[in-house]
């Protein structure tokens, strides 16, 4: 005998199979475009997007930190490069500029200047001040010309020997030079506005332009002009379009002719020497 539940199940009509019809673009009705990809629509895509966002969020700060580290390393390398590029004259003497020296005072009272080792530099690395006092120097040294742009130089308390007249070739910007008391200012009184002697040093102040002070108009040739070349020094420079002895040759200097003559002469001498050496080798 059947129960009431079994009788209710028996009375229900059988479920008809669901037919599908082809929709637009080959998609089946009731299913989204993901049916072609073999994946379910909705939750699967959301989860994939969440995973991508989480992955990007996880790797984003790490990449940023790496870039910051690379940038810091690059800046450090550039700083070291600038330190290594300091002119040799600045490190010729150990130590640094004394706080009460005239070079330090000039550097501190002038804007955009910095003290590095024994030099006062501007932002471009040009030397405007040099302090080599008490460095046991008998002469300024071979690197001294690196400081030809200086405005102030301190060489006191050094056992300098010899004449310094030709040491300052090209130091046209020099306005203050401090020397040991027994060393004369280069060019003498004619090259400086004031020369002051103290117990332990001598200060040469205000470099004169000898081209303006000389009364000899024929000092330079007709096609040349006088140009200062340091304290007590000057040179004659040919005008544009002139060159040679006393600026008497007109036109540009022919480099092609010069190197042609030099090359042919060198080749002739080389062939001559090769021939004589070969004769000696045969006779021996």
């Amino acid at each position: 005998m059947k129960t009431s539940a079994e009788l209710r199940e028996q009375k229900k009509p059988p479920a008809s199979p669901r037919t599908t019809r082809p929709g637009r673009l080959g998609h089946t009705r009731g299913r989204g475009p993901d049916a072609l990809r073999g994946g379910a629509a909705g939750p699967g895509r959301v989860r994939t997007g969440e995973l991508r966002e989480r992955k990007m969020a996880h790797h984003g700060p790490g990449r940023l930190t790496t870039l910051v580290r690379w940038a810091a390393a690059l800046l450090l390398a550039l700083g070291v490069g600038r330190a290594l590029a300091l002119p040799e004259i600045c490190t010729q003497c150990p130590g640094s500029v004394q706080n009460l020296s005239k070079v330090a005072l000039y550097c501190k009272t002038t804007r955009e200047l910095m003290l590095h080792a024994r030099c006062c530099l501007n932002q471009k690395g040009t030397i405007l001040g040099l302090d080599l006092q008490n460095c046991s120097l008998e002469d300024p040294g071979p690197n001294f010309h690196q400081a030809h742009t200086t405005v102030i130089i301190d060489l006191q308390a050094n056992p300098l020997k010899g004449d310094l007249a030709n040491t300052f070739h090209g130091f046209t910007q020099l306005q203050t030079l401090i020397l040991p008391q027994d060393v004369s200012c280069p060019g003498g009184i004619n090259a400086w506005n004031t020369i002051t002697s103290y117990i332990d040093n001598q200060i040469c102040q205000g470099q004169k332009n000898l081209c303006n002070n000389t009364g000899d108009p024929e000092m330079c040739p007709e096609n040349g002009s006088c140009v200062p070349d340091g304290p007590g020094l000057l040179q004659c420079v040919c005008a544009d379009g002139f060159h040679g002895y006393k600026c008497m040759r007109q036109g540009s200097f022919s480099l092609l002719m010069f190197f042609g003559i030099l090359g042919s002469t060198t080749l002739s001498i080389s062939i001559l020497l090769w021939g004589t050496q070969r004769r000696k080798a045969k006779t021996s």
Side-chain angles (χ1 to χ4, degrees):
M1 204 174 161
K2 297 182 178 181
T3 62
S4 59
E6 290 176 351
L7 290 173
R8 283 195 299 270
E9 288 290 335
Q10 192 173 4
K11 289 179 181 180
K12 286 184 179 180
S16 60
R18 185 177 181 180
T19 60
T20 59
R21 298 178 185 177
R24 296 176 62 185
L25 301 177
H27 297 158
T28 56
R29 291 186 179 179
R31 302 178 65 184
D34 291 322
L36 292 176
R37 304 174 192 168
R45 297 181 64 186
V46 173
R47 291 176 183 174
T48 305
E50 289 179 355
L51 289 175
R52 288 180 182 175
E53 291 178 359
R54 290 176 183 175
K55 192 173 182 180
M56 291 178 65
H58 177 70
H59 290 287
R63 292 181 180 178
L64 182 60
T65 305
T66 304
L67 290 175
V68 171
R69 289 178 180 176
W70 275 106
L74 180 61
L75 291 174
L76 181 61
L78 290 175
V80 172
R82 287 190 65 183
L84 293 176
L86 198 66
E88 296 177 0
I89 188 65
C90 298
T91 57
Q92 177 175 333
C93 182
S96 58
V97 178
Q98 297 181 9
N99 292 329
L100 298 179
S101 69
K102 290 187 177 297
V103 174
L105 294 176
Y106 166 78
C107 200
K108 291 177 181 179
T109 54
T110 307
R111 296 181 59 184
E112 299 180 353
L113 296 185
M114 304 168 290
L115 287 171
H116 288 282
R118 290 279 181 162
C119 290
C120 175
L121 310 173
N122 63 8
Q123 293 183 346
K124 296 181 180 180
T126 305
I127 304 176
L128 297 181
L130 178 64
D131 189 341
L132 295 180
Q133 62 172 307
N134 198 20
C135 291
S136 302
L137 300 176
E138 294 185 357
D139 61 83
N143 299 321
F144 189 68
H145 195 266
Q146 295 177 353
H148 69 279
T149 56
T150 50
V151 177
I152 179 171
I153 296 178
D154 193 342
L155 293 174
Q156 64 177 313
N158 285 298
L160 296 174
K161 296 180 180 179
D163 188 10
L164 299 179
N166 296 323
T167 305
F168 294 91
H169 267 291
F171 287 71
T172 57
Q173 306 298 321
L174 185 61
Q175 294 299 317
T176 302
L177 176 61
I178 306 172
L179 297 170
Q181 201 277 334
D182 58 342
V183 177
S184 301
C185 293
I189 190 63
N190 294 326
W192 302 92
N193 292 327
T194 58
I195 298 177
T196 308
S197 296
Y198 297 95
I199 297 176
D200 54 352
N201 61 41
Q202 187 169 204
I203 299 178
C204 320
Q205 190 78 32
Q207 182 181 168
K208 292 181 180 180
N209 186 347
L210 292 186
C211 295
N212 296 335
N213 295 333
T214 180
D216 188 3
E218 298 181 358
M219 179 178 297
C220 291
E222 181 180 358
N223 299 319
S225 58
C226 179
V227 176
D229 193 30
L233 303 171
L234 53 83
Q235 60 178 339
C236 294
V237 180
C238 295
D240 293 339
F242 294 90
H243 66 278
Y245 177 69
K246 290 187 177 182
C247 304
M248 297 179 64
R249 294 185 179 181
Q250 191 171 4
S252 60
F253 182 74
S254 178
L255 293 176
L256 182 61
M257 181 182 294
F258 172 76
F259 285 110
I261 296 173
L262 180 63
S264 59
T265 304
T266 305
L267 181 62
S268 302
I269 295 174
S270 300
I271 293 174
L272 179 63
L273 292 175
W274 177 77
T276 55
Q277 293 296 326
R278 189 173 182 185
R279 286 183 181 179
K280 289 182 180 180
K282 286 184 177 180
T283 55
S284 61

